[in-house]
Amino acid sequence: MADGGALGTEWALDWVRRSAATVSEHRVELITLDREIGDGDHGENLDRGFGAVLGKLDGVADDATPGDVLKLVATTLISTVGGAAGPLYGTAYLRGSTAVAGKSELEASDVVDFLTAARDGIVARGKAELEDKTMVDAWTPAVDAAGAAAAEGKSPAEVLAAAAAAAAAGAEATEPLVARKGRASYLGERSAGHRDPGAQSSAYLLQAAADAAGA
């Protein structure tokens, strides 16, 4: 973390490494969640995608900004992750990286801008709303919590911690919902009682961001 609590490129790189590790650790869990209400490839696809991102980190320029690193995540996920997750996460990271483009360090308000743009990208790509039982149900409370924390003068790390906690609660809250988007919606009422895999992976990724910030 940079002096004063702002988040620099080292944070972004650490977030990527931690994301790859947590996706690998929870790969089977995410596959199982997706198998219950989807096509079962969510954990496998994300694991492959973040593995591909890891392989590109050595090529990151010395003067790269956090936005450059997050854009690399976006383009790599789009090109390597199949199903719905690739375009959704790719759009999220791409929109988020654009929101903080050119900044060498991210303050609390920048973190909120990143999260908001990422969430809006997911909404635009997936056409999903809150309580549709999708990753939006993790990202929207995360954005709300991050905004509230920033307004209270919290540090970037504390903003990310608030976002991660809200995302985890949001993912858990998808369990009783009946899916209205994606493959899970084909199950109708039978989709209730299962956690949305995209919301859960979103919670893991945001926790990785908070951990990288030292929250």
Side-chain angles (χ1 to χ4, degrees), residues 6-41:
L7 304 174
T9 302
E10 283 303 316
W11 163 76
L13 292 169
D14 194 24
W15 182 16
V16 172
R17 296 187 184 100
R18 288 174 184 269
S19 294
T22 195
V23 167
S24 178
E25 177 185 355
H26 295 286
R27 172 178 165 276
V28 173
E29 175 195 345
L30 294 172
I31 288 173
T32 300
L33 288 175
D34 195 29
R35 188 171 289 153
E36 291 171 345
I37 58 173
D39 48 19
D41 62 359

Side-chain angles (χ1 to χ4, degrees), residues 3-199:
D3 291 341
L7 304 174
T9 302
E10 283 303 316
W11 163 76
L13 292 169
D14 194 24
W15 182 16
V16 172
R17 296 187 184 100
R18 288 174 184 269
S19 294
T22 195
V23 167
S24 178
E25 177 185 355
H26 295 286
R27 172 178 165 276
V28 173
E29 175 195 345
L30 294 172
I31 288 173
T32 300
L33 288 175
D34 195 29
R35 188 171 289 153
E36 291 171 345
I37 58 173
D39 48 19
D41 62 359
H42 189 60
E44 187 69 43
N45 285 340
L46 275 189
D47 190 34
R48 182 175 63 255
F50 275 98
V53 179
L54 275 185
K56 294 184 177 182
L57 293 188
D58 288 343
V60 172
D62 291 340
D63 61 350
T65 65
D68 293 334
V69 174
L70 298 171
K71 184 176 181 180
L72 175 66
V73 175
T75 55
T76 305
L77 292 183
I78 289 171
S79 63
T80 60
V81 178
L88 288 169
Y89 271 126
T91 300
Y93 280 95
L94 189 60
R95 293 280 190 95
S97 67
T98 300
V100 299
K103 295 179 180 288
S104 59
E105 295 181 350
L106 306 186
E107 303 289 349
S109 61
D110 299 318
V111 172
V112 176
D113 289 345
F114 171 83
L115 294 173
T116 302
R119 186 277 310 276
D120 290 350
I122 292 169
V123 170
R125 172 67 68 173
K127 311 298 183 191
E129 300 176 351
L130 200 59
E131 299 189 347
D132 276 350
K133 199 179 182 85
T134 72
M135 58 176 66
V136 172
D137 292 312
W139 281 88
T140 289
V143 168
D144 292 344
E152 294 173 1
K154 303 290 189 182
S155 70
E158 291 170 328
V159 168
L160 283 172
E172 183 176 359
T174 64
E175 291 184 8
L177 298 176
V178 174
R180 296 187 298 216
K181 287 288 183 180
R183 187 177 293 271
S185 66
Y186 302 161
L187 298 176
E189 296 289 337
R190 288 184 291 129
S191 65
H194 303 280
R195 187 172 303 197
D196 180 69

